[in-house]
Amino acid sequence: NISNISKSEIAKTKQLAHAEKLVTIGTITGSIGHEINNPNNALLLTLQFQKQVWEELLPIFDSYAEEHGDFEVGGYLYSELHDEMDDSFNRAIDKSNRIKKIVTNLRVFSRKDEGSYDEPVSLNDVVHNSLRLVGNLIKRKTNNLKLDLQGSLPTIKGNAQKLEQVLINILQNAAQALKSNEKSISISTLYRETEEKVQLIVADEGEGIDKKDLDHIFDSFFTTKGKTEGTGLGLAICKRIVETHGGTITVSSEIWSGTEVNIVLPVGGEK
């Protein structure tokens, strides 16, 4: 009788099913990841080469059109292709890079993390390095980036590159949630001295997350984005990395009232 099954037994069954799913994913990604990446890498190189050739031919085509008038190529007028070809190459290259990123995320998610977590890491440096990598995206999405980084933060013991991966993912989500360039993204760090912990806070004035989705945002493969925009692995990977550092990550949000992500990490290494 289903009514006699305790909540804890149901929870354990769900956890077991989830664990089995992860094992299956690990097996699949390990065996076919390279089968996807190899042709995709060849496709990406071909697209980049063809785009370069097209750009180098443009002055010749422009000169010919100026002298002889518009002409037909592949059933299209050159005047129609002039801008469309460049956009077409960029879209195809972007989609190819997206395939590469999805496969990489699946591999990262499914394998045991063997990276080193023993280096002293400055949380402020993690912020600055992450902003260098996603700076262009942030500039496109908002004119209102706010930084409030506490000076002389003690270091944590961990892996700077993996923490940058976490922050970059959070910043990308924050930027994508903004519906106006006037809406802000704020990043702050502080030292919670009595607890010997450092805290990173990323807040945005974006569209927010529905209350019914908040409990699931760290679940594997859960995403509030469209089918073509996300795999639902980003925050699951972030949670794993933060917890490997001995820290916690929490998210608070309301629809149309923005989102705030809090990461708390224990101090370690050299101060």
Side-chain angles (χ1 to χ4, degrees), residues 61-82:
F61 292 153
D62 287 343
S63 177
Y64 183 89
E66 185 176 345
E67 184 175 347
H68 300 281
D70 210 355
F71 57 95
E72 192 173 293
V73 180
Y76 293 88
L77 291 175
Y78 172 68
S79 58
E80 297 173 343
L81 286 178
H82 188 281

Side-chain angles (χ1 to χ4, degrees), residues 9-19:
E9 289 173 326
I10 293 174
K12 287 178 182 177
T13 301
K14 288 182 177 179
Q15 290 173 356
L16 179 60
H18 182 66

Side-chain angles (χ1 to χ4, degrees), residues 120-132 147-156 160 163-164 167 171 187-191 198-201 265:
V121 178
S122 163
L123 205 54
N124 287 346
D125 287 347
V126 168
V127 172
H128 289 303
N129 291 336
S130 299
L131 284 174
R132 289 190 192 100
L147 288 181
D148 182 16
L149 308 182
Q150 181 175 324
S152 303
L153 276 182
T155 60
I156 65 171
L163 289 173
E164 287 166 17
L167 182 53
L171 289 174
I187 308 170
S188 57
T189 58
L190 58 93
Y191 177 36
V198 290
Q199 184 172 3
L200 170 66
I201 305 167
L265 298 160

